[in-house]
Amino acid sequence: MRKQVKAKDTLAVSTKIVLPNDTNTLDNLFGGSLLSWMDEISAISAQRHCKRVVVTASVNNVSFDKPIHLGDTVTIEAKVSRAFKSSMEVYVDVYVEDQRTGLRTKCNEAMFMFVAVDQMGSPIEIPEVAPETDEELLRYEGAMRRRELSLVLAGKLKPNEADELKRVFED
Amino acid sequence: MRKQVKAKDTLAVSTKIVLPNDTNTLDNLFGGSLLSWMDEISAISAQRHCKRVVVTASVNNVSFDKPIHLGDTVTIEAKVSRAFKSSMEVYVDVYVEDQRTGLRTKCNEAMFMFVAVDQMGSPIEIPEVAPETDEELLRYEGAMRRRELSLVLAGKLKPNEADELKRVFED
Amino acid sequence: MRKQVKAKDTLAVSTKIVLPNDTNTLDNLFGGSLLSWMDEISAISAQRHCKRVVVTASVNNVSFDKPIHLGDTVTIEAKVSRAFKSSMEVYVDVYVEDQRTGLRTKCNEAMFMFVAVDQMGSPIEIPEVAPETDEELLRYEGAMRRRELSLVLAGKLKPNEADELKRVFED
Amino acid sequence: MRKQVKAKDTLAVSTKIVLPNDTNTLDNLFGGSLLSWMDEISAISAQRHCKRVVVTASVNNVSFDKPIHLGDTVTIEAKVSRAFKSSMEVYVDVYVEDQRTGLRTKCNEAMFMFVAVDQMGSPIEIPEVAPETDEELLRYEGAMRRRELSLVLAGKLKPNEADELKRVFED
Amino acid sequence: MRKQVKAKDTLAVSTKIVLPNDTNTLDNLFGGSLLSWMDEISAISAQRHCKRVVVTASVNNVSFDKPIHLGDTVTIEAKVSRAFKSSMEVYVDVYVEDQRTGLRTKCNEAMFMFVAVDQMGSPIEIPEVAPETDEELLRYEGAMRRRELSLVLAGKLKPNEADELKRVFED
Amino acid sequence: MRKQVKAKDTLAVSTKIVLPNDTNTLDNLFGGSLLSWMDEISAISAQRHCKRVVVTASVNNVSFDKPIHLGDTVTIEAKVSRAFKSSMEVYVDVYVEDQRTGLRTKCNEAMFMFVAVDQMGSPIEIPEVAPETDEELLRYEGAMRRRELSLVLAGKLKPNEADELKRVFED
């Protein structure tokens, strides 16, 4: 049986202040800076899961719902939601903190897919994820649909073979 | 009738050398650095289309197919594929150049969605895109399906109302 | 009575990968990069405590015990250990993670002192800290000695008036 | 007899302009940026003394007395104040220059301790420092007290064996 | 006969947004940032010409005619104007784009000289440039005068042996 | 009579370590990084002369004679060589230091021209430079020839009116 790692043991967190070079002329955070921060912290989460070097394989469904401002404190939390043979999906949540009240608001989320590789850059097998909380379970299940969607869009899976996905569009 | 801008007039190009700080311990380019570069140049493309400040709304379907190495010359080309009411999809192609032969290989592509905003950050109406080449037409048409998919995933459109998308899964 | 904030509510965490530009010719992390990272995350901790803009007042007793290497994953944790009238001490712990085993080793610690200021840059009164765990209590008590020491070294307190400190040298 | 190097031959100087990314929302220089600049220039000073690779061992008593503003010209001067067996203390002075009058004001000072290492990272013996001016002598003598204090705080020296330090508190 | 490369095949382009850290207190782009950007993109142009590692040999006649502002979109175009034995001149044009009108204005130009080197850093022979347009021809011819001037200023050519150059001052 | 400033009072110095991101695949310093460092420190020198905001007007005759390596200690010294009505030439010398011997070798030199401007960006009159040493005098005199050359190349002065310059080519 494949080794299992608890989802919570893959949590990686980073907190940052938005600096002038990260913002546009409206003093809002660039999408590109946030994407780069999310990639770094989710790679750390993936490494914690598989204890190997990981490379970014794909990025999906990043939506920027609320603008983030110059000087804001941003917290990025990443956790592995599901592992496949040698790849794993990392689910990223981004929060902004109001300096005066300390209130934390969720601004956006994203899913990054990483592949574990050996020193030659070849993919290697990784442990499974063991989800525990309701949210972890929900994300574990959703990961399969997102993977099918990604394979379909890349032309590597026929739409009518994407079982999980078909169910969504058949209701 | 809404003003039209030719797709080719929105082309924005950036060429860069991959530096040590952009690479992991295998000397391959970080996904995060590439994401940040793609966001900057596609924002410039979107600005050329609408002549306004733009903000990143979402990022979709970024897949990293071939590793890019330390010292490589990377060219990123971005062009608006379709404009909606106040948002537009920018299609990004990434190429790497072999230093000895000069041969250019396509490494990955991505779609960024931007919204044009006024000085208060409110969305404003933008011109249409006029595709001319075959590729521009293909991407123009695909943009509608991608938009539906994005709305479905964000829970803002019911799957059975996504007409373009349903067709894909019904065949 | 002055408002109280629990020590644990001021915890701020940042996890980073050591990049080439952060290292010397032995591929070890520069002290200066680590100092800069510690300042940023401890400023966030201090802001969480007082909900105000804070400025670094002093840095004390930073010792670099174990070298940190290129590519290492570094986690920095900062928590307010004690608040005075308008200043607060933040206690910073730095850990390095072995990529293969996931084992976390403590590499160094430091104490940063911040002052809360209003929009004119003038100091303002801040809440007290409520330590709960044994470690929080120990650091709360040590903070007074460190403050006396700092005032003595700055010539703002006579050595023989530093009650807490004298006790250390009189045993 | 150990080789001697004149204190003035270890002087290293760096002048910089404070850029937007180095400042907080009050447009004042971050402590962390200044700490990082001080570490770089004091490492150069230590290298000039011992002609070897050096690593930061500790940082002590950095106090930020006057705020430094966006656009200010900052000059950092570092000089080795005393050498021990394989470690040396570097004394750092920071000045800000008024652009209109050219007047230079001292803003803060700090002491960095470095260790000289060979290519394996092991400590190696270094030359002595020969102080010449009154200030160099004063700092040379103070260095012994600061070293004792550092050892006491690190639990490597018993307070009642710190001869130089005891004298300060016995008056 | 030496191999020939068409001038247009050496064109390298980079488009950038001017960020806060690139500007002075008048919110104008630093000369130093622009020089650094021009060096990077002209090195890429030189590499495209000779398919080798290149090193900057000299920079000449860079004049900054119009200030470039924070937030401006800057396009830098570099093309090899002439190749000598192992060195080549790259001609750089810099344009700024008005965001509202999309109008492009030329801001400055510069000439960078690069040398092609092997893995030991020794100069190696390179192909010739084949100019085609009127502008390419004009710049090809001017390159000889600029090279003579550079050699005269460096004391490597006697002024009265600089045939092309003498003609300019004799009229 | 116009105010005079001694050349030596405009000296600005910066010492830096060459980091990985500043080097090419041969581990040599990029010309662009050095150009950017030279611009920053020579702007500080020009500001010390005129006590005003300055903008880079032109750069001339930068030649990179000796490669500078990763990890090298680089010292850049800038001094105003001559002031005209509202512009001034800054002469920059670059040295590299051998870590083992401490020996300093001159690697290259460059001349930057700056214009002093008021808060609207308009040029304003500046003090004269008073050269004292032989080298300062030599550079003071050469500055006039370089200025003529620059004006001729920019088409703002007819070659036969460039009195200082003609003398060079008439011998």
Side-chain angles (χ1 to χ4, degrees):
Chain A
M1 209 195 88
R2 247 164 95 202
K3 205 192 137 205
Q4 283 202 331
V5 175
K6 287 182 183 167
K8 73 173 174 202
D9 291 341
T10 68
L11 175 68
V13 178
S14 192
T15 303
K16 283 171 179 287
I17 295 175
V18 178
L19 294 180
N21 259 33
D22 301 316
T23 61
N24 62 15
T25 50
L26 300 179
D27 279 353
N28 290 340
L29 178 62
F30 281 128
S33 293
L34 184 52
L35 285 165
S36 167
W37 298 347
M38 291 192 294
D39 180 69
E40 184 188 5
I41 196 68
S42 57
I44 293 174
S45 168
Q47 280 185 10
R48 283 189 177 161
H49 177 74
C50 65
K51 315 277 182 260
R52 293 299 203 138
V53 173
V54 300
V55 297
T56 314
S58 66
V59 184
N60 288 298
N61 316 319
V62 190
S63 62
F64 299 92
D65 298 330
K66 298 196 183 64
I68 300 177
H69 304 287
L70 177 62
D72 275 355
T73 299
V74 176
T75 298
I76 308 174
E77 295 184 1
K79 212 159 40 169
V80 175
S81 45
R82 185 163 192 160
F84 302 95
K85 202 168 169 9
S86 61
S87 67
M88 63 223 110
E89 187 196 73
V90 179
Y91 211 103
V92 186
D93 295 298
V94 180
Y95 302 92
V96 162
E97 211 167 303
D98 183 297
Q99 206 200 341
R100 284 304 173 105
T101 64
L103 228 76
R104 220 164 96 136
T105 316
K106 182 157 173 182
C107 289
N108 79 326
E109 56 182 40
M111 289 114 234
F112 280 70
M113 189 69 91
F114 290 89
V115 175
V117 294
D118 61 23
Q119 285 303 312
M120 305 303 296
S122 307
I124 48 175
E125 208 175 322
I126 56 171
E128 282 180 346
V129 167
E132 293 176 322
T133 69
D134 284 355
E135 192 189 60
E136 285 167 9
L137 271 161
L138 206 68
R139 291 177 171 190
Y140 178 86
E141 281 160 17
M144 184 54 87
R145 277 194 302 281
R146 288 186 291 270
R147 187 174 146 79
E148 283 184 3
L149 179 59
S150 177
L151 290 170
V152 166
L153 291 168
K156 293 176 187 160
L157 180 70
K158 288 185 192 148
N160 59 14
E161 292 170 354
D163 299 333
E164 292 287 320
L165 209 56
K166 275 168 75 177
R167 216 166 301 151
V168 176
F169 289 96
E170 281 167 8
D171 295 336
Chain B
M1 210 194 88
R2 246 164 96 200
K3 204 192 137 204
Q4 283 202 329
V5 175
K6 287 180 183 169
K8 73 173 175 202
D9 290 341
T10 69
L11 176 67
V13 178
S14 192
T15 303
K16 282 171 180 289
I17 295 174
V18 178
L19 295 179
N21 259 32
D22 301 317
T23 61
N24 63 17
T25 50
L26 300 179
D27 279 353
N28 289 340
L29 177 62
F30 281 128
S33 293
L34 184 52
L35 284 166
S36 167
W37 299 347
M38 292 192 294
D39 180 69
E40 184 187 4
I41 196 68
S42 57
I44 292 173
S45 168
Q47 280 186 11
R48 284 189 176 161
H49 177 75
C50 65
K51 315 274 182 262
R52 292 302 201 134
V53 173
V54 300
V55 297
T56 314
S58 66
V59 185
N60 288 299
N61 316 320
V62 190
S63 62
F64 299 92
D65 299 330
K66 297 196 184 63
I68 300 177
H69 303 288
L70 177 62
D72 275 356
T73 299
V74 177
T75 298
I76 308 173
E77 296 184 1
K79 210 157 46 168
V80 175
S81 46
R82 186 164 190 158
F84 301 96
K85 202 168 167 12
S86 60
S87 67
M88 63 221 110
E89 189 198 70
V90 180
Y91 211 103
V92 186
D93 295 298
V94 180
Y95 302 92
V96 162
E97 210 168 305
D98 183 296
Q99 207 200 339
R100 285 304 172 105
T101 63
L103 228 76
R104 219 164 96 137
T105 316
K106 181 157 173 183
C107 289
N108 80 328
E109 55 182 41
M111 290 114 232
F112 280 70
M113 188 69 91
F114 289 89
V115 175
V117 294
D118 61 23
Q119 285 303 313
M120 305 303 296
S122 307
I124 48 176
E125 207 175 324
I126 57 172
E128 282 180 347
V129 167
E132 292 175 321
T133 69
D134 283 356
E135 192 188 62
E136 284 167 10
L137 270 162
L138 206 67
R139 292 178 170 190
Y140 178 85
E141 281 160 16
M144 184 53 89
R145 279 194 302 281
R146 288 187 289 271
R147 186 174 146 80
E148 284 184 3
L149 179 59
S150 177
L151 290 171
V152 167
L153 290 169
K156 294 178 185 159
L157 181 71
K158 290 187 191 146
N160 58 13
E161 292 171 354
D163 300 333
E164 293 286 322
L165 209 56
K166 276 169 74 179
R167 216 165 300 152
V168 176
F169 289 96
E170 281 166 6
D171 298 336
Chain C
M1 210 193 87
R2 247 164 97 201
K3 205 192 138 205
Q4 283 201 329
V5 175
K6 286 181 184 168
K8 72 174 174 201
D9 291 341
T10 68
L11 176 68
V13 178
S14 192
T15 302
K16 283 170 179 286
I17 294 176
V18 178
L19 294 179
N21 259 32
D22 301 316
T23 61
N24 63 15
T25 51
L26 300 179
D27 279 353
N28 289 339
L29 178 62
F30 282 127
S33 293
L34 184 52
L35 285 166
S36 167
W37 299 347
M38 292 192 293
D39 181 68
E40 184 187 6
I41 196 67
S42 57
I44 292 172
S45 169
Q47 281 185 10
R48 284 189 176 160
H49 177 75
C50 66
K51 315 275 182 260
R52 293 301 202 135
V53 173
V54 300
V55 296
T56 313
S58 66
V59 185
N60 288 298
N61 317 319
V62 191
S63 61
F64 300 92
D65 299 329
K66 299 197 184 62
I68 300 176
H69 304 287
L70 177 62
D72 275 356
T73 299
V74 176
T75 298
I76 308 173
E77 296 183 0
K79 212 159 43 167
V80 175
S81 45
R82 187 164 191 159
F84 300 96
K85 202 168 167 13
S86 61
S87 67
M88 63 222 110
E89 188 198 71
V90 179
Y91 211 104
V92 186
D93 294 297
V94 180
Y95 302 91
V96 162
E97 211 167 306
D98 183 296
Q99 207 200 339
R100 285 303 172 105
T101 63
L103 229 77
R104 221 164 94 137
T105 316
K106 181 156 173 183
C107 289
N108 80 326
E109 54 182 41
M111 290 114 231
F112 280 70
M113 188 69 90
F114 290 89
V115 175
V117 295
D118 61 23
Q119 284 304 314
M120 304 304 297
S122 307
I124 49 175
E125 207 174 326
I126 56 173
E128 281 180 347
V129 167
E132 292 176 320
T133 68
D134 283 355
E135 191 188 62
E136 285 167 10
L137 269 161
L138 206 68
R139 292 178 169 189
Y140 178 86
E141 280 161 17
M144 183 55 86
R145 278 195 300 282
R146 288 186 290 271
R147 187 174 145 81
E148 283 184 3
L149 180 58
S150 177
L151 290 171
V152 167
L153 290 168
K156 292 179 187 159
L157 180 71
K158 288 187 191 146
N160 59 14
E161 291 171 355
D163 298 332
E164 291 287 322
L165 209 57
K166 276 169 73 179
R167 217 165 298 152
V168 176
F169 289 96
E170 281 166 8
D171 296 336
Chain D
M1 211 195 86
R2 249 165 93 199
K3 205 192 135 203
Q4 282 201 331
V5 174
K6 287 181 183 166
K8 72 173 174 203
D9 291 341
T10 69
L11 177 66
V13 178
S14 191
T15 303
K16 281 170 179 289
I17 295 175
V18 178
L19 294 179
N21 259 32
D22 302 315
T23 61
N24 63 15
T25 51
L26 300 180
D27 279 352
N28 290 339
L29 178 62
F30 281 128
S33 293
L34 185 51
L35 284 165
S36 168
W37 300 347
M38 292 191 294
D39 181 68
E40 184 187 5
I41 197 67
S42 57
I44 292 173
S45 169
Q47 281 186 10
R48 284 189 176 160
H49 177 75
C50 66
K51 315 276 182 260
R52 293 300 201 136
V53 173
V54 300
V55 297
T56 314
S58 66
V59 185
N60 288 298
N61 317 319
V62 190
S63 62
F64 299 93
D65 299 330
K66 299 196 184 63
I68 300 177
H69 304 287
L70 177 61
D72 275 355
T73 299
V74 176
T75 298
I76 308 174
E77 296 184 1
K79 214 161 37 170
V80 175
S81 45
R82 187 164 190 159
F84 301 95
K85 202 168 166 17
S86 60
S87 67
M88 62 222 111
E89 189 198 72
V90 179
Y91 211 103
V92 186
D93 295 297
V94 180
Y95 302 91
V96 162
E97 211 168 304
D98 183 296
Q99 206 200 339
R100 287 303 173 104
T101 64
L103 227 76
R104 219 164 97 136
T105 316
K106 181 156 173 183
C107 288
N108 78 326
E109 56 182 41
M111 289 114 233
F112 280 69
M113 188 70 90
F114 290 89
V115 175
V117 294
D118 61 23
Q119 284 304 311
M120 304 303 296
S122 307
I124 48 175
E125 208 175 323
I126 56 172
E128 283 180 345
V129 166
E132 293 176 322
T133 68
D134 283 356
E135 192 188 60
E136 285 167 8
L137 269 161
L138 206 68
R139 291 176 171 192
Y140 178 85
E141 281 160 16
M144 184 55 87
R145 275 195 302 282
R146 288 186 290 270
R147 186 174 146 80
E148 283 184 3
L149 180 59
S150 177
L151 290 170
V152 167
L153 291 168
K156 293 176 187 160
L157 180 71
K158 288 187 192 148
N160 59 14
E161 291 171 355
D163 298 334
E164 292 287 323
L165 208 57
K166 275 169 73 179
R167 217 166 298 152
V168 176
F169 289 94
E170 280 168 7
D171 297 339
Chain E
M1 209 194 89
R2 246 165 95 201
K3 205 192 136 204
Q4 283 201 332
V5 175
K6 286 182 184 165
K8 73 173 174 202
D9 291 341
T10 69
L11 175 67
V13 178
S14 192
T15 303
K16 282 171 178 288
I17 295 175
V18 178
L19 295 179
N21 259 32
D22 302 316
T23 61
N24 63 15
T25 50
L26 300 180
D27 278 353
N28 290 340
L29 178 62
F30 281 128
S33 293
L34 185 52
L35 285 165
S36 168
W37 299 347
M38 292 191 294
D39 181 69
E40 185 187 5
I41 196 68
S42 57
I44 292 173
S45 169
Q47 281 186 11
R48 284 189 175 160
H49 177 75
C50 66
K51 315 275 183 257
R52 293 300 202 136
V53 173
V54 300
V55 296
T56 315
S58 66
V59 185
N60 288 299
N61 317 319
V62 190
S63 62
F64 300 92
D65 299 329
K66 297 197 184 61
I68 300 176
H69 303 287
L70 177 62
D72 276 355
T73 298
V74 176
T75 297
I76 308 173
E77 296 184 1
K79 214 161 38 170
V80 175
S81 45
R82 186 163 192 160
F84 302 96
K85 202 168 164 20
S86 61
S87 67
M88 62 221 112
E89 189 197 72
V90 180
Y91 211 103
V92 186
D93 295 297
V94 180
Y95 301 92
V96 162
E97 209 168 306
D98 183 297
Q99 206 200 341
R100 286 302 172 106
T101 63
L103 228 76
R104 222 164 95 136
T105 316
K106 181 157 173 182
C107 289
N108 79 326
E109 55 181 41
M111 289 114 232
F112 280 69
M113 189 68 91
F114 289 88
V115 175
V117 295
D118 61 23
Q119 284 304 311
M120 306 302 298
S122 307
I124 48 175
E125 207 175 324
I126 57 171
E128 281 179 347
V129 166
E132 293 176 321
T133 68
D134 284 357
E135 192 189 60
E136 285 167 10
L137 271 161
L138 205 68
R139 291 177 171 192
Y140 178 85
E141 282 160 16
M144 185 55 89
R145 277 196 302 281
R146 288 186 290 271
R147 188 174 145 80
E148 283 184 4
L149 180 59
S150 177
L151 290 170
V152 167
L153 290 169
K156 292 177 187 160
L157 180 71
K158 288 188 191 145
N160 58 13
E161 292 171 353
D163 300 333
E164 292 287 322
L165 208 58
K166 275 169 74 179
R167 216 165 301 150
V168 176
F169 289 96
E170 281 166 8
D171 296 337
Chain F
M1 210 193 88
R2 248 164 95 201
K3 204 191 136 205
Q4 283 202 331
V5 175
K6 286 180 183 167
K8 72 174 175 201
D9 290 342
T10 69
L11 176 67
V13 177
S14 193
T15 303
K16 281 169 179 290
I17 295 175
V18 178
L19 294 179
N21 258 32
D22 301 316
T23 61
N24 63 14
T25 51
L26 300 179
D27 279 353
N28 290 340
L29 178 62
F30 282 128
S33 293
L34 185 52
L35 285 164
S36 167
W37 298 347
M38 291 191 295
D39 181 69
E40 185 188 4
I41 196 67
S42 58
I44 293 173
S45 168
Q47 281 184 11
R48 283 190 176 159
H49 177 73
C50 65
K51 315 273 181 263
R52 293 301 202 135
V53 173
V54 299
V55 296
T56 314
S58 66
V59 185
N60 288 299
N61 317 319
V62 190
S63 61
F64 299 92
D65 300 329
K66 299 197 183 64
I68 300 176
H69 304 286
L70 177 61
D72 275 356
T73 299
V74 176
T75 298
I76 308 172
E77 296 183 1
K79 212 158 43 167
V80 175
S81 45
R82 186 164 190 159
F84 301 95
K85 201 167 166 18
S86 61
S87 67
M88 64 223 108
E89 188 197 71
V90 179
Y91 211 102
V92 186
D93 295 297
V94 179
Y95 303 92
V96 162
E97 210 167 305
D98 183 296
Q99 207 199 339
R100 285 302 172 106
T101 63
L103 228 77
R104 221 164 94 138
T105 316
K106 181 155 174 184
C107 289
N108 80 327
E109 55 182 41
M111 289 114 233
F112 280 70
M113 189 69 91
F114 290 89
V115 174
V117 295
D118 61 22
Q119 284 304 311
M120 304 304 295
S122 307
I124 48 175
E125 208 175 323
I126 57 172
E128 282 179 347
V129 166
E132 292 175 322
T133 69
D134 284 355
E135 191 188 62
E136 285 167 8
L137 269 161
L138 206 68
R139 292 177 170 191
Y140 178 86
E141 281 160 16
M144 184 55 88
R145 277 195 301 283
R146 288 186 290 272
R147 187 176 146 81
E148 283 184 3
L149 180 59
S150 176
L151 290 171
V152 166
L153 291 169
K156 293 178 186 158
L157 180 71
K158 289 186 191 148
N160 59 15
E161 290 171 356
D163 299 334
E164 292 287 322
L165 209 56
K166 275 169 75 179
R167 217 165 299 151
V168 176
F169 289 95
E170 280 167 6
D171 296 336

